[in-house]
């Protein structure tokens, strides 16, 4: 997983903080998750997060803990030794891929990436120009889209 920069996290946080109170409620966080196709009840989400709202620092720590878990080599070693863990990891990656592949054709196009970035409040004219170059970086067969195997390699940061 490519870690987001602090300014990207700030943008996401402020976009999600619809009422502008400086806190991200589970209702606001749930809006984001539902917009990308992940559904939790508010109770489940609050239980996962551990509280009913997060400050930016808590949101940032929450994000960091998620990225560190996926980057921790000891976690990867455990998963490599555990067939069930690998299957779960592959299933999780496929679920993430389906969020990007909104039309279900098995590929992530520039338009689909732009659509998801728009839903997250991260797309603007400057970012839009980068969508194609973002995809090209991982499009190893040069067909103009990213398939699941290319997506998996990108997310696991393996050599292409």
């Amino acid at each position: 997983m490519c870690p987001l920069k602090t300014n990207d996290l700030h943008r996401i946080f402020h976009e999600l903080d619809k009422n502008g109170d400086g806190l991200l409620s589970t209702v606001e966080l749930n809006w984001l998750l539902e917009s990308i196709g992940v559904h939790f009840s508010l109770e489940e989400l609050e239980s996962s997060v551990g509280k009913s709202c997060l400050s930016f620092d808590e949101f940032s720590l929450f994000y960091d803990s998620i990225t560190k878990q996926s980057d921790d080599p000891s976690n990867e070693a455990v998963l490599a030794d555990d067939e069930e863990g690998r299957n779960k990891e592959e299933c999780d990656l496929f679920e993430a891929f389906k969020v990007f592949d909104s039309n279900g054709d098995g590929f992530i196009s520039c338009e689909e990436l732009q659509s998801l970035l728009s839903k997250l409040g991260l797309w603007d004219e400057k970012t839009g120009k980068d969508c194609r170059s973002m995809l090209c970086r991982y499009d190893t067969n040069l067909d103009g889209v990213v398939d699941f195997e290319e997506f998996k390699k990108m997310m696991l940061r393996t050599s292409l």
Side-chain angles (χ1 to χ4, degrees):
M1 176 183 292
C2 293
L4 294 173
K5 296 177 183 172
T6 302
N7 60 346
D8 292 329
L9 281 176
H10 271 285
R11 265 188 12 192
I12 292 169
F13 183 85
H14 290 293
E15 285 291 325
L16 292 175
D17 183 17
K18 299 292 183 193
N19 64 3
D21 66 355
L23 297 171
L24 187 60
S25 71
T26 51
V27 171
E28 292 164 328
L29 185 56
N30 199 41
W31 175 87
L32 167 70
L33 294 172
E34 286 186 356
S35 72
I36 62 171
V38 178
H39 301 283
F40 287 104
S41 72
L42 289 177
E43 294 79 21
E44 290 172 322
L45 187 56
E46 188 171 325
S47 175
S48 294
V49 172
K51 50 185 6 186
S52 61
C53 25
L54 301 173
S55 67
F56 174 75
D57 290 337
E58 292 166 329
F59 176 70
S60 182
L61 288 171
F62 178 72
Y63 171 78
D64 285 344
S65 72
I66 292 169
T67 35
K68 284 182 181 157
Q69 284 177 359
S70 64
D71 287 345
D72 185 351
S74 64
N75 285 345
E76 290 178 14
V78 168
L79 289 175
D81 291 338
D82 181 3
E83 183 68 31
E84 187 176 316
R86 281 186 292 193
N87 289 339
K88 179 172 179 2
E89 182 179 68
E90 181 118 355
C91 287
D92 290 345
L93 283 171
F94 189 68
E95 288 302 312
F97 179 80
K98 289 189 325 188
V99 170
F100 286 90
D101 179 22
S102 59
N103 67 5
D105 67 355
F107 303 99
I108 300 170
S109 68
C110 183
E111 293 76 20
E112 288 169 317
L113 179 59
Q114 177 183 330
S115 174
L116 184 62
L117 291 174
S118 292
K119 287 178 183 177
L120 295 173
L122 297 173
W123 188 85
D124 56 30
E125 283 300 314
K126 182 180 176 218
T127 308
K129 294 175 184 172
D130 290 338
C131 284
R132 209 161 292 290
S133 65
M134 288 166 60
L135 288 181
C136 286
R137 188 174 308 143
Y138 298 101
D139 178 19
T140 57
N141 63 2
L142 305 175
D143 62 358
V145 291
V146 172
D147 62 31
F148 178 66
E149 288 302 314
E150 292 165 332
F151 178 81
K152 188 167 66 171
K153 287 176 183 175
M154 173 184 72
M155 296 304 286
L156 296 175
R157 290 195 234 182
T158 57
S159 60
L160 298 176

